[in-house]
Amino acid sequence: MKRIRSVKKYLSDIDEKGTFFIGVQVDSKIKDKLNENFKNIGKKEPLFIPNPYIGIMSERNTVGEIVPDKTKPKEICYKAQSWTVKHWDGTPQSGITEVPYLGYPKRFTPPQNFYFRYLENPKHNDSLLIIDKKFTNTHDEFDDIKFCINLVLEIFSEAETFIIKGKKLEPIIKKVPWEVLPKGEQIWKAFKDGKSYPNISKSERYLIKERFDYIESFKPDNEYQGTAGYTGYVVFCFENKQLYILDSVIYGNATYIFSDSWENVSKLSKKEIIQGNLEKKRIIHSPNWKRELKKELTE
């Protein structure tokens, strides 16, 4: 099963207003998927948030989603299209074209930011992987319950509910969800191998490199790559200008520019940043992106 429409089946054995967790029991099959995608789970990192390229639920959870707003009239939109031509001497030339089309304006839905927690019990060989939230069987929580069950199903093709008694779950450890790249190492090198983001198309990969190269042409002081809730994001620090640029690997999202202390911003989730309107500027990935970014960095 890949998706559910109703939570009734999963809540049939749970009392009304009873509390429970959503996850999977870690057997050999689940371990294989963990070892393949999340090598530090249960070793260095007890918490993790899924890579946004696992599927649509993981993308909605980690980076949010941009969907057409059909309540508004259509407008001119753009999509990237790669092309290759051969010159008269047989030499190939490739590039990317922004192709205009008539479509509905886009609406951004913030990410859910649900974490997973690994509960290891080697003595009884019954380790669990659960969403790091205690749910309550009430109608008000059905939307979150449904979302998390579908998130687990998307990653592991199975999902269960657990009533955990006698085990105190530690609260999420607050830490800065970024790691600095070695000085001089371009951020693009962290993504170009395609292993972390296997579903990026050729056109998207070209556009990612073009954006990152353009930002780096302004000589940032430091570059970071996102971990945890910021998987799929990178940050470029311009200390002299007091500007900090947060950009998404996913084309069609947006670039966020902050003027506040980066240490303060980095401790917040992307959801908190967006809902709090903490950014100085938000620049949509569009044909005008370079011009708008240059204005911010050179004014």
Side-chain angles (χ1 to χ4, degrees), residues 50 57-58 61 116 131 147-155:
M57 300 305 297
S58 299
N61 186 58
F116 279 79
I131 299 287
F147 181 91
C148 287
I149 290 173
N150 283 327
L151 177 63
V152 176
L153 284 172
E154 177 178 84
I155 301 171

Side-chain angles (χ1 to χ4, degrees), residues 220-272:
D221 298 295
N222 287 300
E223 301 175 1
Y224 297 78
Q225 61 181 335
T227 60
Y230 284 92
T231 299
Y233 279 83
V234 293
V235 63
F236 303 85
C237 297
F238 296 85
E239 301 293 352
N240 291 336
K241 302 176 185 294
Q242 287 292 291
L243 292 176
Y244 307 91
I245 297 177
L246 176 68
D247 199 15
S248 170
V249 173
I250 298 176
Y251 177 73
N253 212 302
T255 300
Y256 296 85
I257 301 178
F258 303 97
S259 57
D260 189 17
S261 168
W262 172 244
E263 286 76 10
N264 292 334
V265 175
S266 68
K267 294 174 184 177
L268 303 174
S269 71
K270 185 190 170 196
K271 185 175 182 179
E272 290 172 321

Side-chain angles (χ1 to χ4, degrees), residues 24-28 30-31 34 118-119 125-129:
V24 289
Q25 188 162 342
V26 182
D27 56 19
S28 59
I30 299 299
K31 282 183 178 179
L34 287 173
Y118 188 85
L119 300 178
N125 195 30
D126 61 351
S127 300
L128 301 178
L129 190 69

